[in-house]
Amino acid sequence: MANRQALRELQSRLASRLQAAQSEGASVEWLAAEIGGRPFLFPLGQAGEIFPWTTIQPVPYTQPWFLGVANLRGGLCGVVDLLQFAAARGTDAASASVPPRRIDGLNGEASLLAFNAALGVQCALIVDRLAGLRGGEAFVSVQPRADDAPAWLGPVYIDTQGAPWQEIDLQALARYPFFLSISS
């Protein structure tokens, strides 16, 4: 119960910061999160609601990266492990040696990040830890995505401490044929 309260408080703080940033004219562009210890950026216009961790029901005969479905606000939503998906596609976002995620071993900070409803995909990504909102001022340089990278992998942003943050284009991911083909 304490985890749900902490998540609600975090969501409240994020919403307040977003509202304050918009009223001050500051540029807030991404929701920052960690998945498997790796930092990612999700464009705010493409990210949907953040849900507390809930039970995921496995779906047989699906790809290993498709973990199952969850009941989010009364609707079924597919749940995806982004690192497993990236490893299955051999992308730079994850190495090919990513072990299967044990959802029973996730810590209390884990949550589900739903895609924005406007993208037309009832899907959520497992997020190990939310890291707040980020604007362009949080980064000192940008590395464009590799020419051979899939369209859903955006550029890599380097923060002031030198840490790389991989942007994920959820809109492009929602249209990516392999992402839409969950059957094994």
Side-chain angles (χ1 to χ4, degrees):
M1 210 56 174
N3 290 338
R4 284 183 185 231
Q5 183 61 30
L7 181 60
R8 283 189 191 110
E9 290 172 7
L10 176 63
Q11 287 175 322
S12 254
R13 286 193 312 269
L14 287 175
S16 296
R17 284 184 57 198
L18 179 58
Q19 188 175 26
Q22 288 173 341
S23 65
E24 294 170 6
S27 173
V28 175
E29 300 171 13
W30 299 282
L31 174 66
E34 287 183 14
I35 303 174
R38 296 180 177 119
F40 290 94
L41 297 171
F42 300 96
L44 283 178
Q46 298 173 4
E49 191 171 349
I50 300 165
F51 292 93
W53 182 252
T54 187
T55 303
I56 297 173
Q57 296 299 318
V59 177
Y61 309 112
T62 58
Q63 297 286 343
W65 47 265
F66 186 81
L67 300 178
V69 294
N71 180 352
L72 303 179
R73 291 210 188 274
L76 288 180
C77 190
V79 178
V80 171
D81 180 347
L82 182 65
L83 293 184
Q84 282 295 315
F85 173 79
R89 299 310 301 157
T91 65
D92 289 337
S95 69
S97 63
V98 173
R101 182 176 296 262
R102 292 197 43 204
I103 57 176
D104 60 340
L106 290 173
N107 66 25
E109 293 185 34
S111 54
L112 299 173
L113 171 61
F115 284 47
N116 189 310
L119 299 179
V121 177
Q122 288 291 104
C123 186
L125 302 175
I126 290 182
V127 172
D128 296 333
R129 189 180 76 81
L130 295 169
L133 300 173
R134 298 287 190 278
E137 71 282 350
F139 303 101
V140 294
S141 66
V142 179
Q143 300 171 351
R145 73 179 181 90
D147 291 336
D148 60 343
W152 56 270
L153 276 178
V156 174
Y157 292 84
I158 309 300
D159 68 15
T160 56
Q161 287 80 36
W165 290 78
Q166 175 68 62
E167 182 183 49
I168 302 296
D169 184 338
L170 295 175
Q171 184 172 10
L173 185 60
R175 294 186 308 231
Y176 193 61
F178 184 68
F179 186 78
L180 297 172
S181 179
I182 63 168
S183 64
S184 60

